[in-house]
């Protein structure tokens, strides 16, 4: 946590990375990022745009024209409480709704 805080304050780009084997591993990692001092928005950007860029995925990571349009719809704002990323209402892949 101390290192993450130092890296963020130094302006280093942070990306989400986990080798967890549980469905909520990414959510836990994002929550840990916020607990370490990142803003909720910073943790979300690390998990989306920064991770896609790190992996060389030029058409993913942000919602914009020409992008893949993979996203989730939440029941509550994660900027108010980062644990709200777990409250997934809908999933879209390449702009198409996924019937979960």
């Amino acid at each position: 946590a101390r290192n993450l805080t130092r890296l963020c304050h130094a302006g280093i780009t942070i990306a989400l990375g986990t080798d967890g084997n549980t469905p909520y591993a990414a959510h836990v990692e994002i929550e840990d990022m916020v607990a370490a001092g990142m803003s909720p928005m910073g943790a979300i950007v690390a998990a989306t745009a920064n991770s896609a860029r790190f992996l060389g995925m030029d058409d993913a990571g942000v919602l914009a024209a020409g992008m893949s349009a993979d996203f989730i719809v939440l029941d509550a704002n994660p900027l108010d409480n980062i644990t709200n990323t777990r409250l997934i209402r809908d999933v879209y892949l390449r702009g198409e709704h996924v019937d979960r």
Side-chain angles (χ1 to χ4, degrees):
R2 285 188 306 267
N3 288 336
L4 179 61
T5 301
R6 288 180 189 144
L7 291 170
C8 286
H9 285 88
I12 303 299
T13 300
I14 305 297
L16 176 77
T18 181
D19 57 357
N21 60 358
T22 62
Y24 279 94
H27 297 278
V28 172
E29 190 74 17
I30 292 169
E31 292 163 16
D32 287 346
M33 290 174 160
V34 172
M38 288 182 76
S39 69
M41 180 59 83
I44 291 168
V45 170
T48 56
N50 292 354
S51 292
R53 188 171 40 250
F54 177 77
L55 294 172
M57 299 173 68
D58 297 330
D59 69 338
V62 297
L63 288 176
M67 302 299 262
S68 182
D70 300 335
F71 61 94
I72 57 175
V73 177
L74 303 174
D75 281 329
N77 188 345
L79 301 181
D80 294 336
N81 184 330
I82 197 63
T83 62
N84 289 340
T85 62
R86 296 176 183 237
L87 303 177
I88 300 169
R89 176 185 302 168
D90 293 305
V91 176
Y92 288 81
L93 294 175
R94 294 173 199 83
E96 297 290 326
H97 182 260
V98 175
D99 183 7
R100 302 184 320 144

